[in-house]
């Protein structure tokens, strides 16, 4: 019987491999100045948006043109070309960002690409701060004892925090802190969290932003080991939030410390780790914003949803866009339905026809998440 199952599994794996299509990217036009080191990479929804994935590094053909050939399952993908980092990403001639490129794969496909300019080759411009006066940096090198490394930590304090009334506030912990308040530190635009809370008429909230770890992001935000991306460190990162960062914030600031006033939120890999944090610490996080989660990077999350979901009675806001990867909406529905099987969680699922995998989309969705959370 076991042998029969093994044979069936092997045949299924082989058929899945055969179903993959060959993709060939060829760069036909480059700006005069190539990216640093002339090493070019594809970064997209097919590789966790890793800007320097050696498996997606371009080679040169006999004519000196850059090309990249790989296999993917049929589906819809988004991507950009980089020089090995998001500070070296492709952009328009004037320096404006470019939308994610879209690949709809149904058969073997060849794509010719034109790169107008590289972000790091443009003249340096003064970076004007867009953060409101209610945002500050707690520490540029806050120690993470669980991971033996440091990270910049931001805080947003509500407008009424310093009015002398000693009021206490809920706290929202968010990932990818570079992208939350400050346009000059963001990859492709900020979420505008501070601008929203500065004018919101709902219950005021303290927001803590934790910077991602750059090349460590895929590991820190993934609780599970991944054959392509390496050892998952999300379990330790979640411990850091709960056992190190939250106690520090509660000691230093006027917070409401109970579960009903402690939330977590993030997008993409940040959505994955936010979901995991609620599952691991159901008595601490009372709500979560799970935006465009990269569940495909850590599919074991579905096992945790099955086993730990029944213990959850927190509020969870699931969001996905139809303009994201092919698996985004199905994965979101799978997670939502898995939680609905036995959980007492208060949940909603939002799927937007025009939703993309980018900061402008999440900026637009964030106020709707918080308004729902406060109902």
């Amino acid at each position: 019987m076991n042998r029969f199952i093994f044979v069936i599994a092997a045949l299924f794996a082989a058929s899945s491999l055969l179903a993959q299509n060959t993709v060939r990217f060829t760069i036909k036009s480059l700006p005069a100045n190539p990216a640093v080191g002339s090493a070019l990479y594809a970064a997209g929804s097919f590789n966790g948006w890793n800007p320097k994935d050696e498996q997606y590094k371009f080679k040169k053909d006999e004519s000196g043109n850059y090309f990249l050939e790989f296999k993917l399952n049929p589906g819809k993908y988004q991507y950009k070309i980089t020089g090995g980092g998001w500070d070296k990403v492709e952009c328009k001639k004037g320096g404006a960002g470019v939308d994610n490129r879209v690949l709809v794969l149904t058969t073997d496909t060849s794509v010719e690409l034109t790169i107008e300019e590289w972000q790091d080759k443009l003249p340096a411009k003064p970076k004007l701060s867009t953060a409101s006066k209610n945002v500050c940096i707690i520490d540029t090198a806050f120690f993470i004892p669980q991971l033996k490394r440091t990270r910049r930590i931001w805080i947003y304090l509500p407008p009424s925090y310093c009015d002398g009334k000693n009021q206490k506030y809920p706290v929202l912990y968010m990932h990818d802190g570079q992208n939350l308040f400050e346009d000059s530190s963001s990859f492709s635009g900020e979420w505008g969290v501070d601008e929203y809370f500065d004018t919101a008429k709902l219950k005021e909230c303290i927001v803590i932003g934790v910077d991602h770890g750059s090349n460590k992001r895929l590991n820190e935000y993934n609780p599970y080991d991944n054959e392509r991306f390496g050892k998952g460190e999300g379990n330790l990162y979640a411990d850091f939030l709960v056992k190190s960062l939250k106690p520090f914030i509660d000691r230093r600031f006027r917070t409401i410390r109970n579960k009903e006033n402690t939330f977590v939120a993030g997008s993409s890999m940040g959505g994955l780790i936010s979901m995991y944090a609620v599952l691991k610490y159901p008595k601490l996080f009372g709500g979560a914003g799970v935006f465009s989660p990269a569940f495909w990077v850590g599919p074991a999350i579905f096992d945790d949803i099955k086993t730990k979901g029944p213990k959850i009675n927190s509020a969870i806001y699931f969001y996905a866009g139809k303009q994201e990867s092919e698996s985004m909406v199905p994965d979101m529905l799978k997670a939502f339905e898995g939680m609905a099987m036995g959980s007492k969680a208060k949940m909603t699922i939002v799927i937007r026809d025009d939703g993309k995998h980018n900061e402008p989309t999440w900026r637009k969705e964030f106020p709707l998440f918080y308004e729902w959370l406060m109902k």
Side-chain angles (χ1 to χ4, degrees), residues 52 140 149 178 202-204 259 276 292 314 364-365 368 372:
K52 196 176 181 180
T140 57
R149 57 185 73 121
Q178 295 97 325
L202 299 173
K203 188 174 183 178
E204 291 182 305
K259 167 183 174 175
Y276 177 80
S292 307
S314 304
K364 183 178 179 181
E365 196 67 31
L368 303 178
W372 176 85

Side-chain angles (χ1 to χ4, degrees), residues 51-66:
K52 196 176 181 180
D53 188 338
E54 295 299 323
Q55 295 188 48
Y56 291 87
K57 182 178 181 179
F58 282 80
K59 300 177 181 178
K60 283 189 176 182
D61 61 21
E62 295 178 353
S63 301
N65 292 321
Y66 285 94

Side-chain angles (χ1 to χ4, degrees), residues 136-317:
C136 66
I137 294 173
I138 295 176
D139 195 336
T140 57
F142 193 95
F143 185 61
I144 305 177
Q146 293 80 1
L147 295 168
K148 303 297 188 292
R149 57 185 73 121
T150 61
R151 199 59 42 78
R152 182 172 57 181
I153 308 293
W154 308 68
I155 187 169
Y156 170 85
L157 293 174
S160 67
Y161 189 87
C162 297
D163 64 4
K165 295 182 180 179
N166 291 321
Q167 180 180 348
K168 294 185 177 181
Y169 301 85
V171 183
L172 170 60
Y173 292 87
M174 297 188 69
H175 322 291
D176 293 315
Q178 295 97 325
N179 300 333
L180 302 178
F181 315 108
E182 179 63 83
D183 193 62
S184 65
S185 65
S186 67
F187 159 56
S188 60
E190 57 157 309
W191 281 45
V193 171
D194 47 341
E195 284 86 354
Y196 167 68
F197 278 119
D198 280 348
T199 58
K201 303 301 181 183
L202 299 173
K203 188 174 183 178
E204 291 182 305
C205 184
I206 293 173
V207 183
I208 304 298
V210 184
D211 276 12
H212 66 69
S214 189
N215 62 333
K216 292 289 186 181
R217 182 175 183 269
L218 288 170
N219 306 98
E220 286 183 1
Y221 291 174
N222 189 358
Y224 318 101
D225 294 347
N226 183 288
E227 184 177 352
R228 185 191 301 174
F229 306 127
K231 185 173 180 59
E233 298 177 335
N235 184 49
L236 295 175
Y237 175 80
D239 288 347
F240 160 67
L241 293 179
V242 170
K243 298 179 180 180
S244 300
L245 185 57
K246 185 180 187 301
F248 174 85
I249 297 300
D250 287 340
R251 287 194 305 268
R252 293 283 301 274
F253 301 94
R254 299 197 308 273
T255 65
I256 306 176
R257 304 180 182 187
N258 62 15
K259 167 183 174 175
E260 289 73 21
N261 289 279
T262 304
F263 317 116
V264 63
S267 63
S268 193
M269 291 297 297
L272 169 62
I273 194 62
S274 294
M275 185 72 231
Y276 177 80
V278 172
L279 292 171
K280 183 172 184 182
Y281 290 104
K283 295 181 179 180
L284 192 145
F285 291 110
V290 182
F291 296 84
S292 307
F295 287 152
W296 69 273
V297 180
I301 191 73
F302 297 113
D303 296 328
D304 277 344
I305 286 173
K306 182 177 180 180
T307 58
K308 300 176 182 178
K311 300 177 183 178
I312 307 301
N313 63 353
S314 304
I316 305 176
Y317 188 97

